[in-house]
Amino acid sequence: MTSKSANLVDERNKAAAETADWIRYRERGSIALLRIMAFISLRLGRTLSRIPLYGIAIYFFVFAPSARRHSRHYLRLALGHAPRARDRFRQILSFATTIHDRVYLINEQFPLFNITLEGAALMHAQSASGRGALLMGAHMGSFEVIHSLGRREHGLQVAMAMYQENARKINATLAAINPRLVPDIIYLGRIDAMLNIAERLGRGAFIGVLGDRTLGSEPVQAVTILGERAYLPTGPMRAAAILRCPVFFMAGLYRGRNNYHVVFERVADFSATPASARNVAVHSAIERYAAVLDQYCRSDPYNWFNFFDFWHTQPEVPRA
């Protein structure tokens, strides 16, 4: 790949990112919050260092009107009634808590948490087959608690596929918290991304990717989530179909105090899908992913961390 070609790819990715509404709001607070809290948290311990979280959550509750408006809309759909102030505050506090807990999970202080697992048999069976799978999550709960399972269980490989700018921020943050930790990240947007994913799948690795946001210039599929129209990118599921691998929904749900519940649920298996049936299979798989996402938005409503206009932002791109 020439430097000219690489620059062209980077420019296209940058242009695509500028068209997406969520890019302007993406986790600015989460990175800053993690850097501030890391020093305090490791020295005071989880119980004492949680006290400032309430002040931080109050700050964002009061001074982030756009996020507050979108949170109110989402919670009305998820709860089935107009959210009270404590409902909206609880969502923000859950977000702050999952960020805070990254500090301990990254430093492998696993005994601090009570982590339950649903779908373990599916994962063990897939791992035993010697072939990896795509773990398709959402901006829901904590990915770090899922990633921690891979570090605790020897032989279980978990990598994350993400765009380079996000990866750069995460690498810098992880290095500040635990310099010994070297994350396994596949950079999307590069020509060799699919080859890297295929190579890891062949070695039995699980590849995590988030499937609930679009960059704004990619094919999307209209779905219904919580009774309203939304648009999900088709790229991740189409990649799984081309790679002929299974797809599992993943979420690390925060359930108060020190409790997390990790769920894995199969949403598709493209292992035997012929090319002629690929489009129909991808469409059905995205519908299934949306249905599972809808299910956990209703059962664990305070775990949804998309604080932007998720439902009413209609991408001006051709439907897939």
Side-chain angles (χ1 to χ4, degrees), residues 24-262:
R24 296 193 297 274
Y25 302 98
R26 63 181 167 207
E27 286 81 42
R28 290 172 296 179
S30 69
I31 297 297
L33 174 60
L34 186 54
R35 287 172 177 166
I36 293 170
M37 293 300 297
F39 179 84
I40 300 173
S41 301
L42 291 174
R43 284 153 182 81
L44 296 183
R46 186 174 184 270
T47 300
L48 287 178
S49 61
R50 276 181 56 79
I51 296 173
L53 288 185
Y54 289 85
I56 294 169
I58 290 171
Y59 175 86
F60 281 101
F61 183 82
V62 174
F63 295 106
S66 177
R68 187 169 63 244
R69 182 173 66 256
H70 298 313
S71 171
R72 184 183 294 111
H73 175 73
Y74 157 71
L75 286 172
R76 183 180 294 112
L77 298 177
L79 297 173
H81 59 76
R84 294 162 292 190
R86 68 180 182 182
D87 292 317
R88 292 182 283 118
F89 180 76
R90 182 175 174 183
Q91 185 191 17
I92 295 173
L93 183 61
S94 294
F95 181 40
T97 298
T98 60
I99 296 170
H100 177 227
D101 286 343
R102 288 182 192 174
V103 175
Y104 304 104
L105 292 165
I106 289 169
N107 281 279
E108 300 185 348
Q109 297 185 18
F110 305 130
L112 292 175
F113 304 98
N114 175 36
I115 303 174
T116 55
L117 179 58
E118 180 179 344
L122 290 173
M123 300 299 289
H124 290 151
Q126 186 62 41
S127 182
S129 74
R131 176 72 176 166
L134 203 68
L135 303 179
M136 190 171 295
H139 289 78
M140 169 177 278
S142 169
F143 174 74
E144 195 57 50
V145 77
I146 298 173
H147 202 198
S148 71
L149 295 176
R151 296 201 298 275
R152 284 185 295 167
E153 297 190 22
H154 298 292
L156 182 62
Q157 306 172 60
V158 180
M160 190 68 185
M162 63 179 64
Y163 286 93
Q164 190 164 355
E165 183 180 354
N166 288 340
R168 178 181 57 80
K169 293 179 179 179
I170 289 177
N171 283 338
T173 303
L174 294 181
I177 296 172
N178 186 349
R180 297 170 301 169
L181 184 64
V182 180
D184 188 3
I185 296 176
I186 299 170
Y187 297 106
L188 298 177
R190 293 183 176 181
I191 291 178
D192 62 349
M194 285 286 282
L195 292 175
N196 289 334
I197 292 174
E199 188 272 333
R200 282 173 171 77
L201 289 173
R203 290 194 280 113
F206 292 94
I207 309 298
V209 63
L210 301 179
D212 60 334
R213 291 184 184 177
T214 172
L215 287 176
S217 64
E218 59 191 304
V220 295
Q221 179 174 315
V223 297
T224 300
I225 299 177
L226 297 178
E228 293 198 2
R229 176 67 56 88
Y231 299 90
L232 297 178
T234 62
M237 202 69 77
R238 191 167 296 279
I242 293 172
L243 293 166
R244 302 172 70 88
C245 69
V247 180
F248 296 90
F249 176 85
M250 67 172 179
L253 304 168
Y254 175 63
R255 291 186 168 173
R257 300 174 67 86
N258 68 333
N259 300 306
Y260 281 90
H261 183 63
V262 175

